[in-house]
Amino acid sequence: MKVRFIEPGNRPYKPTPLNLFVYDRYIRTPSVGLNTLATIVKEAVDDTLMYSESISRLQMSDILDADLIVIGIFTFNAPRGYRLARYFKKRSKAVIVMGGLHASMHVKEAIRYCDYVLLGEGDESILEMVEAVRKGEIPSFAGVAYRKDGKMVHTGMRRPPERFETIPDKNLIWHYKKMAGHNTLWGQ
């Protein structure tokens, strides 16, 4: 199985020679939440990687043959996330999942662009989603929404997570080490 996590950028990263010498106008810090989910999934799926458009371009050839693509969105990057979801739906056989604050608060909007929306914190539900995709099943656990026969199905809200010991593995973020050396990237 192959899983890719995508953090859309409001202004996707564009490398220029200027980036090496001038303080970038934008703070480019990949999402800690999405990185945490990628770290959790990496324990179960070896072929797991995260892309953040805040620090690099997406490697479409790597993403398009994934089995599961998870796109995390906030309000500022939701339009870009929706465009990416539409692009992946047309060109990939992957199951497309959206999550994040914006997707959780605007489920009816987000569900138009993907197969499933993970609601609330995904720290525990992400592995259940991976397992459902692996088995080719429709997720039935609490905290997911999807469309069936043109109508939205909502499986109910999930309890807040109880597992908080995961430390995000920055090595799962494509080009993180390369960018951390010279850009306005906060190491956190």
Side-chain angles (χ1 to χ4, degrees):
M1 181 168 203
K2 182 176 180 176
V3 182
R4 294 296 179 258
F5 288 83
I6 310 295
E7 178 188 28
N10 187 25
R11 304 179 117 232
Y13 177 75
K14 294 180 182 171
T16 70
L18 201 58
N19 292 43
L20 298 174
F21 306 104
V22 178
Y23 190 79
D24 200 335
R25 293 184 301 179
Y26 306 98
I27 295 172
R28 302 195 178 278
T29 304
S31 166
V32 174
L34 198 61
N35 188 208
T36 300
L37 297 185
T39 302
I40 291 168
V41 169
K42 178 71 173 176
E43 295 174 12
V45 180
D46 191 51
D47 196 356
T48 298
L49 189 64
M50 176 182 160
Y51 289 95
S52 173
E53 282 191 311
S54 67
I55 63 168
S56 69
R57 292 183 175 156
L58 301 178
Q59 303 298 305
M60 293 301 186
S61 60
D62 177 56
I63 299 167
L64 289 173
D65 68 345
D67 300 297
L68 174 61
I69 299 172
V70 181
I71 304 171
I73 57 172
F74 290 97
T75 301
F76 78 90
N77 65 0
R80 173 70 177 155
Y82 295 151
R83 283 193 303 276
L84 286 170
R86 196 177 301 136
Y87 178 89
F88 296 137
K89 288 289 288 174
K90 286 182 182 176
R91 292 168 177 83
S92 173
K93 294 179 181 176
V95 172
I96 310 297
V97 175
M98 296 191 99
L101 185 60
H102 187 85
S104 292
M105 293 180 69
H106 301 280
V107 182
K108 290 180 183 177
E109 176 184 285
I111 198 65
R112 297 187 339 231
Y113 300 93
C114 59
D115 299 306
Y116 302 102
V117 174
L118 275 182
L119 305 167
E121 300 295 328
D123 299 51
E124 294 171 352
S125 59
I126 191 66
L127 289 178
E128 292 177 81
M129 178 60 74
V130 167
E131 194 57 30
V133 170
R134 189 186 314 245
K135 292 179 177 178
E137 298 174 352
I138 294 175
S140 59
F141 56 86
V144 70
Y146 59 93
R147 290 169 297 173
K148 184 177 181 180
D149 300 324
K151 297 185 182 199
M152 187 175 79
V153 176
H154 188 299
T155 61
M157 291 308 292
R158 193 174 182 90
R159 289 180 40 173
E162 296 177 11
R163 179 183 176 189
F164 290 103
E165 70 271 3
T166 302
I167 298 171
D169 181 358
K170 301 287 187 194
N171 294 316
L172 292 176
I173 304 172
W174 175 257
H175 275 211
Y176 183 82
K177 282 187 177 182
K178 177 182 176 186
M179 296 303 291
H182 62 79
N183 221 338
T184 52
L185 189 75
W186 292 357
Q188 297 180 353

